[in-house]
Amino acid sequence: QVQLVESGGGLVQAGGSLRLSCAASGRTFNNYAMAWFRQAPGKELEFVAALNWSGSRTKYADDVKGRFTISRDNAKNTMYLQMNSLKPEDTAVYYCALRVAEGLEKGQNDYHYWGQGTQVTVSS
């Protein structure tokens, strides 16, 4: 099994920045993709960003492109999401997810392990 633990969420003013972290432990895999999803109150879970095992390929949702950066440090088994120029509409619970395969998929059903989530609140 794999355990994923997110951290770094909090309250920030519009225009501010936060960096989320996702620490992975337990069974390790080679050549797996990881991603961030988010769920705002009353809305469905949505894809935010994904990257492959080496970090050489990334994919972003259109509304975060240019503002968010996904990265990972495999030596630390940790993935990050740097969020800049935050907007109130970025307010959500952010989840990290791991896919036991390559391919930067956007569907939640393509991911096999999930963290518990971390709350991000952006005030206007």
Side-chain angles (χ1 to χ4, degrees), residues 3 18 23 27 39 48 52 76 79 84 95 99 103-104:
Q3 293 78 44
L18 281 175
R27 181 182 174 185
Q39 186 167 27
V48 176
N52 65 341
K76 297 181 179 180
M79 176 179 66
N84 299 329
Y95 298 91
R99 167 175 160 80
L104 306 185

Side-chain angles (χ1 to χ4, degrees), residues 31-35 37 47 49-60 70 72 79 99 101-107 110-111:
N31 298 323
Y32 57 88
M34 295 187 74
F37 287 77
F47 171 82
L51 80 171
N52 65 341
W53 181 79
S54 68
S56 62
R57 292 187 297 121
T58 58
K59 182 179 288 186
Y60 294 92
I70 189 172
R72 65 195 294 173
M79 176 179 66
R99 167 175 160 80
E102 298 185 44
L104 306 185
E105 306 299 331
K106 293 185 176 182
D110 293 310
Y111 291 83

